[in-house]
Amino acid sequence: MAISSARESLSLALNNRFLPNLEYLLQGSILDTAVEHLMHRLKGLCDNVDTSPERFHDLEVCMSLRQPTSPQPLLLRVRRALGQDAPFQMRYLGQPEVDMRRPTLVRSCMDCACTNGILDFLTEMGFRLEFEYIAKGYMFRKGRMKITVSKLIKIVPGKQQDMANEPISQSYIVELSVVAPTGQENVGEEMRVFAEQLKPLVQLEKIDYKRLGNLP
C-alpha cells in the first residue's frame, strides 16, 4: 500500500510540474587526442584556477517506470561515487524543451540525496533497469555554471565495477549546465558566451534528442 501511494504521489508531482528548478544545458564531445588542450583552456577560464579540477568516478543507473496515463515512461537516474562513502544521488529530468529562441536546451529537474537502499526501493515500486554506465572525469565551475568532461565506460557483464574498462567511444562528453529557478532566462546567454570561448576545441550545442530518436 505504501509503495503504491509513493508511486502515485511521484507521478502526480511530475505530471503537474511541481518542480521549481530548470536545468539549462549545452553538450558536445571532443576526441581523446585533443582533451588535454580543452583541459588547459578550462583551467584558464574557470574559477578553480589555482587548484586541480574536481575529479569524479561515478556509477550511473537509469530506472524506468511505465505510466498508464502517459506514453512516455518515467525515468529516474541514480548516481553514486565509486570508492567513496557518500550518499547516493537521485535525479529526475523532464522532457527537454528545444526552443529556437533560446540558446540552450531547457528541462525541468529535481535532485535529492538518498540512502544506499534507493535502487531496491525503486525496484519494489515497479521500476526496471534501462541502462547503466560509469562516468569518469573532471568538473570545473565558472560562477553558477558547471562544466564536466566525462569519459563514459561500459560495464562488462560478469566483471566487478572497478574492472569495467571498456570506453563507449574514443571521445569525452563535455557538458555545460546551470540549475536555476524558473524565470531566469538570462542564464542561457551567459552559457552561450562561455561556450563561444571553448571554440574551436569543442562545439557545445543544444541537442534535440527527440529528433535523434534517443531518450533524453
Side-chain angles (χ1 to χ4, degrees):
M1 190 68 169
I3 294 296
S4 177
S5 177
R7 181 168 58 240
E8 291 171 0
S9 297
L10 178 60
S11 296
L12 179 65
L14 300 180
N15 291 335
N16 287 279
R17 300 179 179 271
F18 295 154
L19 299 173
N21 289 333
L22 294 176
E23 181 184 53
Y24 298 79
L25 180 68
L26 292 172
Q27 296 172 300
S29 65
I30 187 168
L31 292 172
D32 293 354
T33 53
V35 74
E36 284 301 320
H37 298 291
L38 176 62
M39 295 289 289
H40 285 299
R41 177 75 60 86
L42 288 170
K43 287 178 181 179
L45 292 172
C46 293
D47 296 335
N48 47 349
V49 177
D50 299 328
T51 60
S52 298
E54 182 180 336
R55 294 174 181 262
F56 60 86
H57 186 193
D58 299 338
L59 170 68
E60 180 153 319
V61 180
C62 180
M63 306 288 286
S64 69
L65 177 68
R66 300 295 169 184
Q67 302 182 90
T69 59
S70 172
Q72 296 291 335
L74 168 61
L75 299 178
L76 293 178
R77 296 170 183 261
V78 177
R79 178 174 281 221
R80 73 176 180 92
L82 298 175
Q84 296 184 31
D85 184 16
F88 284 49
Q89 299 292 323
M90 184 173 69
R91 162 168 268 214
Y92 165 77
L93 295 171
Q95 293 293 327
E97 301 174 12
V98 182
D99 186 337
M100 297 306 297
R101 296 168 297 179
R102 286 172 164 168
T104 71
L105 178 147
V106 179
R107 57 190 179 186
S108 56
C109 71
M110 179 174 65
D111 296 278
C112 64
C114 307
T115 65
N116 58 12
I118 183 61
L119 290 175
D120 291 335
F121 178 70
L122 291 177
T123 301
E124 288 293 324
M125 287 180 66
F127 283 80
R128 66 180 181 85
L129 175 67
E130 280 289 329
F131 58 83
E132 59 181 344
Y133 59 85
I134 288 173
K136 187 175 183 179
Y138 306 88
M139 182 177 71
F140 298 82
R141 290 194 180 275
K142 176 67 173 179
R144 56 182 171 176
M145 292 183 286
K146 181 174 75 172
I147 307 96
T148 57
V149 182
S150 309
K151 170 65 72 173
L152 303 186
I153 302 171
K154 179 181 179 182
I155 294 179
V156 181
K159 288 189 176 182
Q160 296 180 3
Q161 289 165 0
D162 58 358
M163 296 174 62
N165 54 3
E166 295 187 9
I168 292 175
S169 69
Q170 298 303 309
S171 61
Y172 282 76
I173 301 296
V174 184
E175 294 186 329
L176 169 61
S177 64
V178 172
V179 174
T182 303
Q184 298 194 18
E185 295 297 329
N186 60 324
V187 170
E189 182 60 23
E190 292 177 27
M191 294 171 63
R192 185 195 66 76
V193 171
F194 185 84
E196 286 291 326
Q197 298 178 72
L198 300 181
K199 294 178 179 178
L201 289 172
V202 62
Q203 176 83 23
L204 296 180
E205 302 173 306
K206 50 182 180 182
I207 298 175
D208 188 348
Y209 289 98
K210 289 182 180 179
R211 182 172 296 177
L212 294 176
N214 292 333
L215 289 173

